[in-house]
Amino acid sequence: MHDVAVMNPATNLDPLVAVIGVGGVGSHCAHALLRAGVRRLRVVDFDRVSLSSLNRHAVATRCDVGIPKVVACAEHFRAIQPSCEVDARDEMLTAEAAERLLLEGSSSGQPELVVDCIDDVNTKVDLLAFCVARGLRVVSALGSGAKDDPTKICVARGLRDIENDPLATKLRKIFGTRALDSESISFVYCSQKVQKSLLPLSDEQRANPEEFGNVANFRLRVIPVLGTQPAAAGIAIAAQVLNELGLTGERFWPQPTPPPKRALVEKLLESFKKSELMRVGGRVAQVDITPAEASFVVHEVWLGRSALNPEIDAFAATGIRFTLTRWDPSLPIAASNLILVTAQEAESHSGPDEVPVEARQRIDEALRWAGERLAAPLRLAASDHPVSSRAANVMAETLPCSNQERDEQTSVGGSGYDADDPEEKALIAEQLSRSSSFVGDEGHQRVRSSFVVVVGLGAVGSAAAILLARAGIGRLRLVDGCLVREGAGHAVAKLADAGRFKVDVCKEAIRQVLPCVEVEAVPKHFAIDREEDEKALWSPDNNGRVPDMVLDCVGSLSTKADLLRSADSRRLRVVSVVTGPSGCPADPSRVVIAPLAEVWASPAAVSLRLALNSSLGVEAGAEETSFGAVDVVHSQEPSLWAKTTITGGFADVPHRLQLGVTAAAAALLRLTSGKVPQQADPCGMNFWKKLRGSLEKQVSGCQLPDLYAIGCVADHVWRGRSALSGFAGFKHSDLAMARWDASRPPELSNLVLMTAAEAKEHAAEVAATGSLPQDVHEGGEESCNSDSSLQAKRLATNKALLRLREQLQAQHIGRAGATREVRECSIRVPRRRLAAEQPKSEQSAGEFGGATSSRSSRPGFAGLVADTKLVELRCLSKGTGCRIWGKAEFLSPGGCQKDRVARQILDEAEAAGMLKPGATIVEGTSGSTGISLCLAAAARGYNVHIVMPDDQAKEKVQLLQRFGATVQLVRPASISSPEHYVNVARKHALELNEQSPDGGAALFADQFENPANFNAHYRGTGPELWQQCGNCLDAFVMSAGTGGTLAGVGRFLKEKSSDCKVVLADVQGSALYGKVALGVLYAPEQQERTVRRHRMDTISEGIGNDRLTANFSLGLRDHNGGLPGIDAAVRISDQEALDMAHHLLAHEGLFLGSSAAVNCAAAVKVARQLPPGSVVATILCDHGQRHLTKFYDPAAWESYGLTAPVRHEASDLSFVR
C-alpha cells in the first residue's frame, strides 16, 4: 500500500527513462530529469509545437513552432547537456505501436521506468495496460488543466483515493471495465477542484465536430491552462521518478491525498484518549501519541479510510463515526500500533487474530512502514551515495562574482519586434490564449500591464521568471550579479552560457519565448546600504511605471531580510522563496505558500521572521509580523530541521525548480485575483498555544519567539515529546517548554520540551549553575553509564540544540562565496542537427552535376533532367521596370523541378544500399513529386506507391495511375494526425519493410525531410540559374512546399553574392510567411480553437505548409547554424495567382500551373521594391495541364470565393496588389 520498489543505484547509474507525451507536463518532467542528472531519455510524441502551447512548455520557443515536440526537446536538451542521449520518436503511441516505441529499435534498451504524460483517455489506457502487462514501472500524470494550485500536488498508488480529477474518474471506469489493476502505478495529480470549464464550441463545431481539431477522436474542446500548473505537475513527476529509481540519495514519501482538517484529527485523537481512559477504568493513562503523529496515522498510513474496510472513507462518509484504536490491545499505545476504524468496528475489534489473513497481512505491512517512518523522522545525510560526485558536478549552479561596472541595459522586445504591428498582436493573442482564457480578460490585462522585479536568478528565480514571461507578464526587472557556471543547475541556461551573467541569459531566453515582454537586466548583487542598488531595484521604468510586485529568490537570509524591509517600506507585495539546505529532499507534495507570519515548517523562514521582528522591536509573544504583504514559498518537510546540509544532490534541482514554479503561480494569482492558496492549519495549534503560555510564565518580561516558531521546535525538533523522558502527555498541560541554558535568552535553540514536573526540576537545577544542568556543564559521554541514563539524555538534548543553533546561524549568514574563475566553455551546439553533410561553397558549377556532361553520361529519364531554359517574362519586366526571368522547370520530362529531387533521392538511396531490386518507392505527395518518382523508378525497375490528399486535381491522379503507381487517396489532415498523407505513407513503408526479413523492400522517399531534396537544388538548379543569369542576380523568388528548392537555390546564390535577396512567396493559409517575416510558424487559419482537420485554405497545390520541414530549415539562419538563407517573404492571394496565370497565358503564351503563377506574382511584388533594372529570377515549376479540373475550373473558383480573371494590358499589373 505504501511501499514502492526502489532500484539499487549501484546497478544502473544511467537509467533510461521513457517520457510519453512531451507537451506541458511531459516537457517539464523530461527537462527536470535532465537537469537532475538523468542522461538517457526516450521521448515519444506525434504532435508539433504550436504557438498556443508555448505558455506551458518547458523549453520550446517561438523558433520551435511547427517542428515536432520531440525534436524541439532533443535539440534543447543536447544544448543543456551535450553528453545526454535523447532518443526522439516522432510518432503517436497506439496499442499496436507500444512495443516498438518502448522496447525496440534503439541501442538504449528497455526503459527502467515509463512516464505517462498523455491526456487522451483511450491512448493513456493503452499505454498503462501495456506497462502493467510487461511489468514496466510507470508514473502517470493526471489532469493539470483548469487548475491553478501547485501546492495541492499529490502522489497516489492506484486510482482509488484520487478525488477532484475528471481524468481519474474516467480511468477508474475504464480500468474496471477492462479488469486492469492500477495499484502498481504511481499517479501524480492535483487535489484541487477544477477551477475552469472547457471552452464552449461554436455552432459549426457542434454541428460538424469531425471537421475540427488536428486528430480524429481527440478532445475538441479547449481547456484553459495556466502554465505554472503543468510545470508543477511535470517537475513533481520528475522528482517521483528519481525517488522510485533510488536516485534521490534518500527516499521521500509524498502525500497520497490532501491532508485532513485539523478539527477532524483533533476529534479522532480526543475520542481515542477517552476510549483508552475507559479501558483502564478511569485511571490516568499515558497516550503516547502527539497531534502530528495522529495526523500522520490518519492521513498517510490509512489514507482516511477504515483499516478493516478500506472502502469506507472517513473524509467523505456521512452518518458514520470514526475513531482510532489499538491494532493489538496487548501492545503499548504507539503510532505503529494504531488503526483507523469506524466506531462500530472499534467496539468489536479484539485483536489481529480475529481479522482475516489477507487483511491482517495488509495492516501489518502498513504498520511496519509507519513504524519505520516514525523511527527516524528527521532525515540524515546520504553518505557515500554512488551518484553524489557526478550529481555535484552536473548541478553546480553558479559562481558569484564581484560587481562590475556596466551600463544597465533595458531591452524592450526582441529583434525586429513591433508592438503596433497587427500581425504581431495576433501572434501574441494566440500565444497567450490558454492563459487569458484561464484568468479572464480583466485578469489578462492586469498581467500584461504588471511590472515585476525578480531578485536572484538561480534555479528558483530563473524558473519563476521564464514562467511569468510565458504567461505574458508586461515587464520584468531581473536583478542578480552572479555568472552561470553550469547550465544543469538552472532553469534556462545551457552549457554554452557558462561565464555569462545569469540575468543576460534569462533575458535572452525570455525574448525567444515572448518578445513583447519588456525585460531589464541588472547585473548587480543587491545591497541595501548602497543607494545605487536601491535606485536600480525600485526606480520607475521609461514610462514612469513603478514595480507592482517583487519575487525574492535570493539565497542569503541576511540579503533577503534587507530586501523585505526595503520592499515593505514601499508597501510592495512580495513573494519570497525560502529554500532548504543544498541537496534537500525534493518532495513536491510538501511545497506550500503561507503568509510570513504563519510559516511553521521551514527553519529558514522562521529565522527570517524572527530576525525581521527583532529588528522592528515586535513585542514579546506577538502573533503577527508587520510584513503582512509577504507570501512565503517553502517546503514543509520536517527533515529540514535535522541537518545543516544534506548531500546526494539529485533531489536538489527538481525541488528548486518546483519552488520557482510555485512562486510564479503565487505571483500570477496575486496579480489576477488577489488570492493565493494557503497552507492547512497545523494539527497541534492548541498544543502550541499552551506551550507558549507556559513559557511566558517562566520568563516574563523577555521577548519570546512567536507561536509558529515555538510550534516548529515542539513538533519538528522534539517530536511533541519530552526530550528527557519521551512522554507525550495525556493532555496539553502535561508538557511545557523550558529554557535549557539559564544564561541565554528564550530563543529557539535554547528551548526544550519537557513534562511540567521535569521543567520545574530543571529550572531549579540550572539556577544553581547559572547556565546548563550540572552533568552537561561538567560531564562527558564517557561518564554515562547507559544510553537511558538521565545524563545521556541530557547530553543528547544538548547536542540537538547545538545542531539547531548551527543551522539557524547558517540560515542567517546565508550562502557566502568568493569570486572564482569561471571555466570557459567552447562547446556550441547548432539549433538543428541535419543528417546531410553540408556542401562546400567553393565547388564549381560543373562539380554539382549541373553541366551538360551529366546529360550525355546518363540515359533515359535521368539524362533529360536539368539544364532547363531561362526565359524572360517580358510583360512582367515592362510592368515593373526590372528584368524578371523564369527558369522553365515545367519542361522537364516529369513536368516540374521535382524530377531533380526524384533522381537525387534514388541516387543517394542506391549509394547507401537502401534499395534492393524490385523494391517499392513510397511517398506522400500532392502529386508532382509522385509523378517524378514514377518516371525515375520506372527507369530503374522499382514499384511506386503514392499517398496523396483527395482534394488534388484529378488529372494528377490519372497520370500517376497511367505511369503505373498505386495511388492511395486520404482526407487532408494536420501533420499531427496519423491520417496525414505523409504519415500514412511512412507507415506503409514501415509495414512493407517489416514483411521483408532482410529489409530493403521499400523506401520512404520523405521529400519533406530528406536532405537529398536540398542537395538536388544546391548542386544543380542553383548553379545553372547563376550561370544562365550571367553571374548577376539581385533577387530570387520562390514558393515552398517542402522548401528544398528555395533553400537549396537560395543557399547557392547567397554564397555567390551576399547582396542577392532570397524571398519566399507564400500562399494564404500557409504558416511559412509567419516564420520568415515574424519568426513564428503561424497563420490565422491555425488558430487553436478554429483549426479545421481537413483544411482547404488555398486553390494552389503543392505549396504552403504549416510545419517546419528539415529542408526548409536549411534556408533559415536560426535553424541552420547561421548560414546564408531566406531574407524575406511576401504573401500571394489565390486571386492574384489566378489573375497572373491568365495574364501570362494571354501575353506570354505560357500555360502555367498554380505554383508558377504564385512565383510570378511574388516576383512582381519584389521587383517593385528594387531599383529599376534589377534582375529577378523565379522558377516556372509546373504546367497548366495538371490543373485543368481545379485551378483552371470556374466551378472551383466559386467554391474558393474567387472571381473570373479580367484581361489587362501587358504592362498593367494592377491585379498584383
Side-chain angles (χ1 to χ4, degrees):
M1 183 178 185
H2 300 280
D3 199 15
V4 178
V6 179
M7 183 188 74
N8 180 1
T11 63
N12 187 359
L13 299 186
D14 283 310
L16 173 64
V17 178
V19 182
I20 316 302
V22 284
V25 176
S27 63
H28 279 282
C29 172
H31 177 242
L33 287 172
L34 180 78
R35 298 272 185 191
V38 175
R39 295 179 179 176
R40 299 201 304 148
L41 293 168
R42 178 174 297 159
V43 289
V44 181
D45 202 318
F46 68 94
D47 206 358
R48 265 57 180 168
V49 176
S50 66
L51 186 59
S52 63
S53 70
L54 295 184
N55 84 312
R56 56 195 180 277
H57 204 274
V59 293
T61 67
R62 279 188 163 195
C63 190
D64 299 315
V65 173
I67 68 175
K69 290 179 179 178
V70 293
V71 173
C73 286
E75 291 176 351
H76 286 281
F77 291 171
R78 292 180 186 124
I80 294 168
Q81 182 55 269
S83 64
C84 70
E85 299 176 19
V86 184
D87 180 8
R89 303 197 172 189
D90 179 19
E91 186 176 343
M92 176 184 285
L93 186 135
T94 61
E96 296 77 20
E99 182 165 356
R100 174 170 50 80
L101 290 174
L102 293 180
L103 306 180
E104 299 176 359
S106 173
S107 59
S108 302
Q110 178 173 312
E112 297 284 349
L113 191 144
V114 176
V115 178
D116 157 39
C117 297
I118 299 171
D119 57 5
D120 176 67
V121 178
N122 295 325
T123 310
K124 180 181 286 286
V125 172
D126 288 340
L127 172 61
L128 296 180
F130 176 84
C131 292
V132 170
R134 295 304 181 94
L136 293 172
R137 282 184 291 177
V138 59
V139 178
S140 179
L142 296 180
S144 294
K147 298 184 180 184
D148 58 11
D149 188 352
T151 68
K152 294 293 192 299
I153 297 291
C154 297
V155 183
R157 286 295 256 189
L159 291 164
R160 184 190 62 183
D161 299 304
I162 299 175
E163 297 179 353
N164 298 328
D165 193 288
L167 186 54
T169 302
K170 294 178 182 178
L171 287 177
R172 271 194 295 265
K173 183 177 180 180
I174 298 174
F175 270 55
T177 303
R178 295 178 55 171
L180 296 174
D181 181 15
S182 67
E183 291 302 312
S184 63
I185 304 171
S186 296
F187 290 94
V188 178
Y189 72 102
C190 177
S191 62
Q192 181 189 26
K193 292 183 178 179
V194 173
Q195 301 295 298
K196 302 292 178 180
S197 301
L198 294 172
L199 299 182
L201 299 177
S202 66
D203 293 340
E204 188 178 5
Q205 288 172 326
R206 282 193 295 269
N208 301 292
E210 70 282 354
E211 290 298 324
F212 292 86
N214 284 334
V215 182
N217 301 319
F218 269 54
R219 182 187 64 243
L220 180 58
R221 296 180 66 185
V222 173
I223 300 178
V225 179
L226 197 61
T228 50
Q229 199 62 27
I235 296 168
I237 293 170
Q240 182 63 18
V241 168
L242 297 174
N243 194 33
E244 295 200 17
L245 291 177
L247 297 178
T248 53
E250 188 74 19
R251 180 69 183 276
F252 62 82
W253 304 93
Q255 297 185 98
T257 58
K261 293 182 179 180
R262 174 168 59 96
L264 174 61
V265 176
E266 291 177 346
K267 184 178 179 180
L268 289 170
L269 185 56
E270 187 65 27
S271 172
F272 175 59
K273 289 181 178 181
K274 288 181 179 178
S275 65
E276 287 298 318
L277 189 63
M278 294 175 61
R279 186 190 296 270
V280 297
R283 300 190 304 274
V284 175
Q286 177 176 341
V287 180
D288 193 22
I289 299 295
T290 68
E293 289 173 340
S295 177
F296 168 74
V297 168
V298 173
H299 175 215
E300 300 196 42
V301 179
W302 302 117
L303 308 180
R305 294 178 179 272
S306 167
L308 298 175
N309 185 3
E311 298 303 318
I312 305 177
D313 189 343
F315 300 162
T318 57
I320 302 177
R321 189 165 61 88
F322 274 74
T323 187
L324 293 168
T325 192
R326 281 194 258 190
W327 168 239
D328 188 342
S330 65
L331 296 179
I333 298 172
S336 57
N337 191 32
L338 279 187
I339 57 175
L340 178 65
V341 292
T342 66
Q344 184 178 358
E345 289 170 336
E347 291 177 3
S348 60
H349 179 68
S350 58
D353 294 339
E354 303 299 324
V355 178
V357 175
E358 185 178 347
R360 187 193 317 159
Q361 292 175 345
R362 173 178 53 80
I363 294 172
D364 283 340
E365 176 63 21
L367 291 174
R368 180 195 63 76
W369 175 81
E372 291 178 356
R373 286 285 311 275
L374 293 173
L378 302 182
R379 208 175 308 277
L380 300 178
S383 59
D384 300 324
H385 193 273
V387 296
S388 296
S389 60
R390 191 184 85 188
N393 178 60
V394 171
M395 296 191 303
E397 184 177 314
T398 57
L399 284 175
C401 65
S402 59
N403 286 334
Q404 299 183 8
E405 292 297 327
R406 192 183 102 166
D407 293 336
E408 298 171 16
Q409 297 178 355
T410 303
S411 293
V412 180
S415 177
Y417 169 73
D418 183 359
D420 297 323
D421 184 356
E423 292 182 329
E424 181 61 40
K425 289 182 178 179
L427 290 178
I428 295 171
E430 175 67 8
Q431 184 170 344
L432 301 178
S433 60
R434 290 288 191 105
S435 298
S436 61
S437 63
F438 191 98
V439 300
D441 292 340
E442 185 177 347
H444 179 61
Q445 288 302 318
R446 283 200 292 266
V447 172
R448 294 290 296 120
S449 61
S450 293
F451 180 5
V452 177
V453 178
V454 183
V455 185
L457 273 299
V460 177
S462 58
I466 194 67
L467 281 170
L468 288 175
R470 289 186 184 276
I473 201 75
R475 184 179 181 85
L476 286 171
R477 177 174 291 161
L478 310 178
V479 183
D480 197 314
C482 290
L483 305 178
V484 173
R485 180 186 181 190
E486 288 285 355
H490 201 263
V492 297
K494 297 177 172 59
L495 186 61
D497 293 320
R500 298 180 61 197
F501 280 104
K502 290 189 287 183
V503 290
D504 291 337
V505 171
C506 290
K507 182 173 76 171
E508 181 178 296
I510 290 169
R511 280 180 172 180
Q512 293 171 356
V513 170
L514 189 60
C516 66
V517 178
E518 301 174 19
V519 186
E520 178 183 354
V522 183
K524 289 186 176 181
H525 294 295
F526 173 76
I528 200 68
D529 57 348
R530 290 198 298 263
E531 184 177 346
E532 64 272 17
D533 285 2
E534 282 260 318
K535 181 179 179 181
L537 201 62
W538 311 122
S539 62
D541 66 5
N542 295 334
N543 297 320
R545 290 186 300 175
V546 296
D548 300 295
M549 179 180 290
V550 181
L551 255 65
D552 158 34
C553 302
V554 298
S556 167
L557 284 198
S558 58
T559 304
K560 191 179 290 288
D562 289 341
L563 179 62
L564 294 186
R565 278 191 288 265
S566 182
D568 184 66
S569 67
R570 291 165 173 77
R571 301 185 180 277
L572 285 174
R573 167 66 64 179
V574 179
V575 176
S576 181
V577 181
V578 177
T579 60
S582 178
C584 65
D587 186 348
S589 68
R590 313 285 178 178
V591 174
V592 297
I593 306 171
L596 180 59
E598 298 178 9
V599 175
W600 56 274
S602 167
V606 170
S607 298
L608 175 64
R609 183 173 69 242
L610 295 179
L612 290 171
N613 284 343
S614 176
S615 67
L616 295 176
V618 177
E619 296 181 2
E623 293 191 29
E624 295 184 0
T625 177
S626 64
F627 294 87
V630 179
D631 295 309
V632 176
V633 177
H634 65 98
S635 177
Q636 226 171 29
E637 279 274 342
S639 61
L640 298 182
W641 288 86
K643 289 282 182 180
T644 56
T645 58
I646 300 176
T647 60
F650 265 101
D652 184 64
V653 167
H655 177 65
R656 293 174 186 273
L657 293 177
Q658 187 81 330
L659 290 172
V661 169
T662 307
L668 290 172
L669 291 173
R670 282 293 185 195
L671 291 172
T672 56
S673 65
K675 298 180 180 179
V676 298
Q678 299 295 310
Q679 65 179 355
D681 288 338
C683 289
M685 179 73 78
N686 293 330
F687 175 47
W688 297 356
K689 291 178 180 178
K690 295 284 186 180
L691 294 178
R692 191 182 63 183
S694 68
L695 192 60
E696 285 178 344
K697 294 178 182 178
Q698 298 173 44
V699 289
S700 58
C702 294
Q703 181 172 335
L704 301 179
D706 60 32
L707 172 67
Y708 289 90
I710 291 174
C712 286
V713 174
D715 273 10
H716 301 314
V717 178
W718 306 120
R719 297 177 52 204
R721 288 179 167 77
S722 165
L724 301 180
S725 64
F727 180 51
F730 181 70
K731 53 185 182 294
H732 293 325
S733 57
D734 288 341
L735 294 175
M737 195 69 83
R739 277 192 299 178
W740 179 247
D741 186 341
S743 65
R744 296 177 58 232
E747 55 192 13
L748 289 186
S749 58
N750 193 33
L751 297 181
V752 179
L753 192 60
M754 303 178 183
T755 66
E758 289 169 343
K760 187 174 181 180
E761 182 181 346
H762 178 80
E765 187 171 352
V766 298
T769 64
S771 58
L772 298 172
Q774 189 69 31
D775 48 8
V776 176
H777 199 62
E778 299 178 354
E781 292 187 24
E782 63 279 358
S783 64
C784 297
N785 297 325
S786 69
D787 290 341
S788 60
S789 68
L790 178 61
Q791 184 179 2
K793 290 178 179 177
R794 283 178 169 173
L795 287 172
T797 300
N798 195 61
K799 282 185 178 180
L801 289 171
L802 289 174
R803 187 168 62 242
L804 177 60
R805 186 180 309 163
E806 289 173 0
Q807 179 173 357
L808 294 176
Q809 288 175 346
Q811 296 288 5
H812 277 300
I813 294 172
R815 297 197 300 269
T819 301
R820 289 154 56 187
E821 184 178 357
V822 178
R823 178 174 59 86
E824 292 186 0
C825 175
S826 60
I827 300 177
R828 298 278 175 176
V829 180
R831 281 288 294 139
R832 290 186 70 86
R833 296 170 179 264
L834 296 162
E837 180 182 354
Q838 295 298 331
K840 297 179 180 179
S841 60
E842 54 268 14
Q843 288 178 290
S844 66
E847 293 174 313
F848 289 112
T852 307
S853 59
S854 66
R855 176 178 296 183
S856 61
S857 63
R858 305 190 66 171
F861 170 85
L864 293 175
V865 175
D867 291 332
T868 53
K869 300 293 185 180
L870 185 70
V871 297
E872 183 175 9
L873 306 174
R874 293 168 300 173
C875 63
L876 305 187
S877 297
K878 187 176 180 180
T880 60
C882 295
R883 299 197 69 183
I884 298 180
W885 297 82
K887 188 167 176 57
E889 289 293 297
F890 67 89
L891 296 178
S892 292
C896 73
Q897 85 278 10
K898 297 295 184 180
D899 289 353
R900 300 175 186 263
V901 177
R903 183 181 69 175
Q904 190 74 26
I905 288 174
L906 296 188
D907 284 349
E908 294 188 9
E910 289 176 340
M914 299 171 63
L915 286 169
K916 65 182 182 181
T920 300
I921 312 299
V922 183
E923 179 61 323
T925 171
S926 60
S928 294
T929 304
I931 292 170
S932 297
L933 282 170
C934 282
L935 298 176
R940 306 188 193 203
Y942 300 125
N943 301 310
V944 177
H945 183 103
I946 297 299
V947 183
M948 63 187 297
D950 63 6
D951 63 344
Q952 302 301 292
K954 294 178 182 178
E955 48 267 37
K956 290 184 180 181
V957 178
Q958 293 169 350
L959 279 174
L960 286 166
Q961 291 172 337
R962 296 297 181 271
F963 291 166
T966 300
V967 180
Q968 180 181 355
L969 299 177
V970 297
R971 290 293 308 278
S974 165
I975 187 62
S976 298
S977 171
E979 301 169 355
H980 188 275
Y981 63 92
V982 172
N983 296 330
V984 174
R986 180 186 291 110
K987 182 180 179 182
H988 183 68
L990 181 63
E991 291 171 347
L992 291 178
N993 281 323
E994 287 176 346
Q995 296 168 8
S996 174
D998 55 351
L1003 171 71
F1004 176 45
D1006 199 11
Q1007 59 170 324
F1008 290 91
E1009 309 300 325
N1010 193 333
N1013 187 341
F1014 171 91
N1015 293 339
H1017 297 293
Y1018 180 83
R1019 298 173 183 177
T1021 316
E1024 287 178 26
L1025 179 61
W1026 179 252
Q1027 187 179 36
Q1028 289 171 326
C1029 290
N1031 299 342
C1032 179
L1033 189 61
D1034 296 298
F1036 172 68
V1037 185
M1038 179 68 193
S1039 56
T1042 67
T1045 308
L1046 179 64
V1049 174
R1051 172 78 64 80
F1052 182 86
L1053 295 176
K1054 295 292 285 189
E1055 290 175 352
K1056 289 299 181 180
S1057 172
S1058 60
D1059 293 330
C1060 178
K1061 301 300 181 184
V1062 178
V1063 183
L1064 164 72
D1066 206 23
V1067 293
Q1068 60 192 49
S1070 171
L1072 298 179
Y1073 171 86
K1075 181 63 178 176
V1076 175
L1078 303 170
V1080 187
L1081 192 75
Y1082 176 76
E1085 291 81 359
Q1086 292 177 276
Q1087 187 177 356
E1088 183 179 38
R1089 294 195 60 193
T1090 60
V1091 64
R1092 290 180 175 273
R1093 184 174 306 143
H1094 308 299
R1095 289 169 56 187
M1096 297 176 62
D1097 299 326
T1098 176
I1099 197 171
S1100 300
E1101 297 182 7
I1103 54 176
N1105 213 330
D1106 59 1
R1107 73 184 192 277
L1108 193 59
T1109 68
N1111 281 292
F1112 191 81
S1113 297
L1114 285 169
L1116 300 173
R1117 292 176 179 84
D1118 288 342
H1119 294 270
N1120 66 15
L1123 296 173
I1126 305 167
D1127 296 298
V1130 294
R1131 278 201 183 108
I1132 301 299
S1133 68
D1134 282 354
Q1135 189 66 56
E1136 288 173 317
L1138 184 64
D1139 290 343
M1140 177 58 73
H1142 285 79
H1143 191 77
L1144 292 173
L1145 178 60
H1147 299 289
E1148 297 290 346
L1150 295 176
F1151 186 39
L1152 302 177
S1154 58
S1155 300
V1158 168
N1159 292 344
C1160 293
V1164 169
K1165 290 191 176 184
V1166 172
R1168 288 170 175 169
Q1169 301 173 20
L1170 297 174
S1174 298
V1175 179
V1176 179
T1178 188
I1179 303 293
L1180 307 180
C1181 45
D1182 52 350
H1183 198 281
Q1185 290 177 342
R1186 295 182 184 174
H1187 299 266
L1188 291 175
T1189 60
K1190 187 176 179 183
F1191 188 63
Y1192 283 100
D1193 183 5
W1197 301 345
E1198 185 176 355
S1199 64
Y1200 281 90
L1202 303 175
T1203 59
V1206 177
R1207 184 181 178 88
H1208 293 76
E1209 294 296 326
S1211 60
D1212 181 5
L1213 304 178
S1214 60
F1215 56 86
V1216 180
R1217 297 162 185 84

